[in-house]
Amino acid sequence: ESNLTDIDVLQRLLKDYSDRFDLPIAITEFDINTTNRQLQADYLRDYYTAAFANPAVNEIFNWGFWES
């Protein structure tokens, strides 16, 4: 899906923010807007893995998890 941030881009952005500001990072607007369940599962896994691989990330707030 074109609206999903590429995981390599996410990793670079998180590194840039953590290097630049030296503060904890909270991802507070995470959402996957697709009905493709396999894409949701794969992207969620890859996104969380990339985010929590950066030591500055200390939380993720996931919107829409309980929605159909």
Side-chain angles (χ1 to χ4, degrees), residues 22-67:
D22 194 30
L23 294 169
I25 296 174
I27 298 171
T28 61
E29 301 299 323
F30 182 81
D31 194 8
I32 301 173
N33 188 15
T34 182
T35 57
N36 180 330
R37 296 216 182 245
Q38 189 61 56
L39 177 61
Q40 287 176 337
D42 292 342
Y43 190 76
L44 181 66
R45 178 202 59 225
D46 295 346
Y47 190 100
Y48 273 44
T49 300
F52 285 122
N54 184 308
V57 176
N58 63 6
E59 66 180 289
I60 297 176
F61 191 89
N62 188 359
W63 288 99
F65 180 75
W66 299 111
E67 293 179 12

